[in-house]
Amino acid sequence: MTETINGKGQILPGHVFVYPKGEHIEMPDLLSFMRRNIQYSKDYAENMRLYTGDHEILHKQPNLVGPDNRLVVNLPHYIVDTYNGFFSGIPAKITLNDSTDEENQGLQNWNDTNSIQDKLNEISKQVDVYGRAFAFAYQNENSETKVAYASPMEAFMVYDDTVAQEPLAFVRYWKDVTSGMWCGSVYYADGVDNFKGSDLESESQTNPYGLVPAVEFFANTERQGVFDNAKTLIDALNKVMSQKSNQVEYFDQAYLKMLGLDLDNDGDGKPDIDLVNNRVIYSPDASAKDAVIDFIAKPDGDTMQEHMIDRLIKMIHQVAMVPDLNDEAFASNSSGVAMQYKLLSMRNMAATKERKFRYSLRQLYRIIFSVGTVVHDQDAWQRLAVDMKRNLPDNLSEEAQTASTLSNIVSKRTQLKVLSIVDDPDREIKQMQDEQAETTRLAREAADAMPDFLKDGEDDGNKSVLDTKEEEGAGVDQAESR
C-alpha cells in the first residue's frame, strides 16, 4: 500500500521511497524519509540478531519454578551462509565484450585493486539478511575511483516518481557522537548536499560522476531476506527445543519415594537421611507391609516432541527454499538428476536474484566508467558481461563425456562451456590454437634439423632406389611416346 509523506514523498510496498523527478528533496521530506527508515531499521536489526544467534528466546522473562534453559537453533545463520555460498561462492567473472586486451586488463586490475569479488560477496550476504544492500562509488584523495557498500540501517535510496523509477538521490546518515544530532549526505546526479539536524549546509559538493553514485542491490521486488518468511517457525523451534531441554533436566532430578518405612533409628523424630539433597519423598505413616520404594514415573512425550522438532526444521527449510545439505536422505541421492531436483527451489530463487544483480552491476559500472579512470569508453558498461556460476559439486567425468558427445555438433566455444574447469572458453580456444601452432613450429624445426639424405633421399651423392625407379619409369614413358 502506497503511503504519502508530507504531500510530496511517497513510500511504496517494499519500503521504496519515491519523490518527484527533477526536484531536490526538501528538508521536511528528507527528515520524514529518514525517520521512517530508522523505524524500518528495527526489522533489519532483528534480522541481523537472528543471523548472529541473538534470538528472542534469550530475552524472555526467566521461569520462576523449574529449569530455565534457553536454546537457540541458529538456522538463519546456516540458511544465509549456505545460500550465499551457493550463489556467490564462485566469484562472478566480469568482463567486456568486443573490447581490446588493454581494456579488459584495465577492468580486471581495477576489480582486483578494489576487491570487487569480496565486496559483492558481502553485498549478497546483506541482501540475504536484510533484503537489500547498497554499493556506492567515490573518489579518494588520489582521485582514484573506489567502491564501498552500506547496509539499509545507515542508508536508503530515493527514486523518482516516473514509470522507470530512476534513482533520484542516495542518502547516508549517522548520529554525531558529540552533539547527538543526525548528520548525513544526500547524493544527487548534479551534486552532494550535507545536513546536520534539520539544517542543510549552504554549499554543495561536486559530483564527478554526473549520476547518482549509488546502486541498490536486492533479490526480489518485495525486498525480503532469505529467512523472513520463516521467522515464526524459527521462534517456535527455539521454544520447543528449550522446553524439551527443561523437561529432560527436570526429570533428571527425579525423586525417590519411601512410603511405610521408619527411617528414624535414633528416636529423635527425624529420618536419618538428607531428604532435600537426596531428593527423597518420605512417609512413615503407612504400615510396613505396604511399604513402597520406587521413583516417580516420568511421562513419555518424547515421540511427540521429536516429531514436532523434525516438522519445524523441515518447514523452515521448505519456506526458506534452502535445503538441509546435511540431511541423510539428501546425502544418499548420488544421482545427479535427483540432486538437481533437491536443489530446484534454491536454483530458481538464485536465478531471480542473479537477474536483479546483473542489472544492478551494470548500473554500478555505468557510474564507475563515467569518470574515465578505469576505461576510456564511458559507454563500455553496455558491453559488460557478467558470468555468475552456482557453487555446486562438479562431476568432471560426466562433463567430459557430454563435451565429447557435442563434438562436431556445436561450436568449439559451446562445447567448452560445458566444462566447469574452463573459466573462459574464448581464452581456452586461443590457448589451444597457440599450442597447435607451437607444435607445428617445433615439427618444422625438427624437420629442418634432419640430415639432407633423410630429407632428399640421397646417400653419399647416390640417388635413392625410389628416385631411380621414378626416373626409369619416366624414361619408359618417354620412349613409348616416341
Side-chain angles (χ1 to χ4, degrees):
M1 182 177 180
T2 303
E3 181 181 355
T4 302
I5 299 294
N6 289 336
K8 282 190 174 182
Q10 291 183 320
I11 302 179
L12 304 182
H15 304 165
V16 178
F17 300 140
V18 174
Y19 204 75
K21 181 179 180 179
E23 298 187 23
H24 278 211
I25 306 173
E26 297 179 1
M27 203 62 205
D29 293 326
L30 177 61
L31 294 177
S32 296
F33 281 145
M34 206 171 78
R35 281 193 294 267
R36 192 55 57 88
N37 197 71
I38 293 172
Q39 179 182 346
Y40 297 149
S41 294
K42 296 178 181 179
D43 294 332
Y44 300 141
E46 179 190 1
N47 283 13
M48 179 53 71
R49 287 195 300 269
L50 287 172
Y51 174 74
T52 56
D54 186 13
H55 292 206
E56 181 183 357
I57 195 169
L58 300 177
H59 305 282
K60 285 188 174 182
Q61 293 295 327
N63 295 338
L64 299 178
V65 180
D68 188 20
N69 295 298
R70 312 288 182 91
L71 300 186
V72 170
V73 185
N74 198 0
L75 284 181
H77 191 281
Y78 175 86
I79 289 171
V80 168
D81 284 5
T82 299
Y83 182 54
N84 188 48
F86 172 74
F87 180 77
S88 59
I90 299 177
K93 185 173 181 61
I94 303 172
T95 56
L96 291 172
N97 289 329
D98 302 326
S99 62
T100 62
D101 292 340
E102 182 181 358
E103 277 186 328
N104 256 320
Q105 190 59 47
L107 174 60
Q108 299 309 318
N109 292 340
W110 185 87
N111 288 341
D112 294 339
T113 302
N114 284 270
S115 302
I116 286 296
Q117 306 298 349
D118 179 66
K119 288 183 172 67
L120 284 178
N121 184 73
E122 186 62 28
I123 289 172
S124 174
K125 187 178 78 172
Q126 288 195 7
V127 168
D128 294 339
V129 175
Y130 301 125
R132 58 175 18 119
F134 302 96
F136 61 94
Y138 66 96
Q139 300 294 114
N140 65 4
E141 58 275 8
N142 298 322
S143 297
E144 297 172 333
T145 305
K146 298 291 183 179
V147 170
Y149 55 85
S151 77
M153 291 194 292
E154 60 187 14
F156 59 89
M157 185 76 75
V158 180
Y159 297 92
D160 62 34
D161 58 354
T162 63
V163 175
Q165 287 189 357
E166 297 289 341
L168 176 69
F170 174 65
V171 182
R172 293 179 59 237
Y173 60 89
W174 59 91
K175 181 170 284 189
D176 184 72
V177 179
T178 305
S179 63
M181 301 175 65
W182 287 102
C183 305
S185 301
V186 186
Y187 298 84
Y188 298 100
D190 57 358
V192 182
D193 293 342
N194 298 315
F195 66 91
K196 185 173 185 179
S198 58
D199 299 323
L200 280 173
E201 291 185 0
S202 57
E203 294 184 1
S204 297
Q205 298 176 353
T206 58
N207 177 7
Y209 304 101
L211 300 164
V212 177
V215 173
E216 180 183 7
F217 286 82
F218 52 91
N220 50 75
T221 55
E222 295 78 18
R223 271 76 168 181
Q224 283 190 315
V226 69
F227 59 83
D228 269 351
N229 293 324
K231 286 183 181 179
T232 56
L233 297 173
I234 294 167
D235 290 338
L237 179 61
N238 291 334
K239 185 177 180 180
V240 171
M241 290 294 293
S242 299
Q243 288 176 344
K244 183 175 179 63
S245 178
N246 290 339
Q247 290 176 7
V248 170
E249 182 177 344
Y250 175 78
F251 287 109
D252 279 346
Q253 300 174 359
Y255 277 79
L256 177 67
K257 62 181 179 181
M258 295 184 179
L259 308 178
L261 292 177
D262 187 3
L263 299 180
D264 183 13
N265 294 325
D266 55 9
D268 61 355
K270 297 180 180 180
D272 299 332
I273 187 174
D274 187 351
L275 299 179
V276 176
N277 292 327
N278 289 289
R279 296 192 292 274
V280 174
I281 298 176
Y282 165 70
S283 175
D285 296 337
S287 61
K289 67 178 182 179
D290 297 326
V292 178
I293 300 177
D294 63 5
F295 286 93
I296 298 177
K298 166 188 172 182
D300 185 12
D302 192 65
T303 302
M304 180 181 65
Q305 291 173 338
E306 289 296 326
H307 180 71
M308 182 69 173
I309 292 170
D310 292 341
R311 177 63 62 86
L312 284 172
I313 291 176
K314 289 180 180 178
M315 290 183 66
I316 290 171
H317 284 288
Q318 288 176 359
V319 172
M321 292 192 289
V322 178
D324 182 6
L325 302 181
N326 298 318
D327 183 73
E328 293 181 0
F330 183 83
S332 64
N333 285 327
S334 57
S335 168
V337 176
M339 289 186 65
Q340 294 293 336
Y341 273 111
K342 282 285 187 178
L343 296 170
L344 183 60
S345 59
M346 186 163 65
R347 291 177 71 101
N348 290 338
M349 186 167 59
T352 301
K353 181 179 178 180
E354 180 180 341
R355 286 190 289 270
K356 306 294 185 184
F357 265 57
R358 283 178 183 273
Y359 175 79
S360 297
L361 276 173
R362 289 173 65 86
Q363 299 307 310
L364 178 62
Y365 278 92
R366 180 184 182 185
I367 298 167
I368 294 166
F369 293 165
S370 64
V371 292
T373 58
V374 180
V375 296
H376 298 298
D377 183 8
Q378 296 184 358
D379 296 326
W381 64 273
Q382 297 179 349
R383 297 184 279 113
L384 196 72
V386 182
D387 185 14
M388 307 179 77
K389 292 184 178 179
R390 304 289 81 83
N391 191 10
L392 286 170
D394 297 320
N395 190 332
L396 295 180
S397 61
E398 288 187 5
E399 292 178 359
Q401 183 177 0
T402 303
S404 177
T405 305
L406 293 175
S407 180
N408 299 324
I409 299 177
V410 297
S411 66
K412 179 65 70 174
R413 187 177 188 277
T414 303
Q415 184 181 0
L416 290 174
K417 286 176 67 176
V418 175
L419 300 174
S420 59
I421 58 175
V422 178
D423 294 330
D424 189 343
D426 293 332
R427 186 176 62 182
E428 189 69 21
I429 291 173
K430 187 177 185 304
Q431 288 179 350
M432 293 171 64
Q433 293 172 347
D434 292 343
E435 289 179 359
Q436 186 176 3
E438 180 67 12
T439 302
T440 303
R441 184 185 66 81
L442 292 175
R444 288 176 178 173
E445 290 181 355
D448 293 339
M450 292 173 61
D452 292 341
F453 73 88
L454 291 178
K455 290 188 293 183
D456 300 333
E458 297 180 356
D459 186 6
D460 296 333
N462 297 324
K463 295 180 181 180
S464 65
V465 176
L466 179 62
D467 292 338
T468 303
K469 289 183 177 181
E470 288 180 351
E471 291 183 357
E472 291 177 353
V476 172
D477 292 339
Q478 291 176 359
E480 291 179 351
S481 63
R482 289 196 295 269

